[in-house]
Amino acid sequence: MRNRITIIALCLVCVCSTHAMAFIMDGDFVRTQIADTDGTLGNGKANPGLRHDPDGTGSFPTEDYLTPGTAREGFTISHRITPSGGAFSHYNLNDYLKQISHISFDNRSGDIFDHDHRWSGQIAGRYRIDQQAYFNDDDEFIMFVMKFTAISALYDVRYARYIDPDPDRHGGGGHNTKNTRGNVAASLPDADIVSAEGAKTGLTVGLYSQSAMPHN
């Protein structure tokens, strides 16, 4: 489908400010960069944020889902340290908030996938996360795989990935998007996919989960 890019988020959970350096990932359909210190797409507000060439020629338009404007991409992990205690939430966002400490970053591009970056972070004494972000040149999506390892006893652990795009900003539009859950045409239920469509351009980005674990 033209003018559509889907970010696929596959969440695997195993319970057991200065800008970052960023690595540009250029495919035939997708152009983005990933920050080595926080595992988010984009590098603050630097270009490219996230772009899509619907023709697959590698010639990317100026329209960008993450720049300029107030767009945001990132993830959150929440948990409790006692069964009935209050919840703690930690955020890594591309634009400013980075609460999960960086451990390592490894560029594996070309080993198995054309573009493959591994990021690891932690909250000391509580948990470690290992993220893989990858795609091939002919893909129109970015796949995320997240592994969570508890260092101490934790309860009600939850992971969320999100994007707040501004696809209309380069076209002279505003920040508003039409947000939708589910996709009837693709027979995808509300719990599996959410999408945001630019009110003026119709440019659409989505988050889709293939996880067998409960998700919403």
Side-chain angles (χ1 to χ4, degrees):
M1 181 178 295
R2 295 174 64 84
N3 292 331
R4 179 177 295 273
I5 179 173
T6 299
I7 300 178
I8 291 185
L10 175 60
C11 312
L12 303 180
V13 182
C14 306
V15 179
C16 348
S17 101
T18 54
H19 283 178
M21 179 181 292
F23 292 82
I24 292 179
M25 305 162 76
D26 266 328
D28 298 332
F29 294 91
V30 178
R31 186 170 201 252
T32 188
Q33 57 182 317
I34 187 164
D36 66 339
T37 58
D38 59 28
T40 65
L41 299 181
N43 181 21
K45 295 299 183 183
N47 287 315
L50 177 61
R51 298 186 183 186
H52 177 228
D53 173 12
D55 297 318
T57 64
S59 301
F60 296 95
T62 57
E63 288 81 9
D64 194 303
Y65 291 93
L66 287 176
T67 62
T70 57
R72 178 171 296 162
E73 198 278 334
F75 59 92
T76 302
I77 293 179
S78 66
H79 64 283
R80 304 176 193 275
I81 58 176
T82 62
S84 59
F88 295 87
S89 294
H90 302 118
Y91 303 82
N92 272 15
L93 304 176
N94 70 303
D95 53 354
Y96 72 99
L97 193 61
K98 303 165 194 317
Q99 296 180 325
I100 302 172
S101 300
H102 164 85
I103 296 176
S104 64
F105 185 88
D106 190 11
N107 183 354
R108 301 280 188 88
S109 297
D111 289 354
I112 299 176
F113 303 101
D114 295 329
H115 310 278
D116 187 352
H117 294 82
R118 318 286 178 92
W119 176 87
S120 297
Q122 68 175 353
I123 294 295
R126 296 194 185 183
Y127 61 80
R128 171 187 172 119
I129 55 176
D130 297 283
Q131 171 188 282
Q132 179 185 13
Y134 66 92
F135 63 94
N136 286 315
D137 284 335
D138 58 354
D139 289 333
E140 291 191 73
F141 57 80
I142 303 168
M143 180 74 82
F144 289 93
V145 177
M146 180 75 77
K147 177 182 177 182
F148 180 95
T149 304
I151 298 173
S152 59
L154 300 175
Y155 304 86
D156 196 21
V157 176
R158 303 186 183 197
Y159 166 76
R161 186 120 207 160
Y162 37 81
I163 183 169
D164 178 13
D166 287 341
D168 287 356
R169 293 294 290 148
H170 278 283
H175 302 281
N176 293 334
T177 55
K178 178 183 177 181
N179 302 323
T180 305
R181 290 170 56 87
N183 188 304
V184 175
S187 300
L188 294 174
D190 289 357
D192 285 357
I193 188 168
V194 294
S195 60
E197 177 185 347
K200 180 178 179 180
T201 63
L203 295 172
T204 304
V205 62
L207 284 166
Y208 168 60
S209 178
Q210 293 179 327
S211 177
M213 301 192 68
H215 55 272
N216 185 12

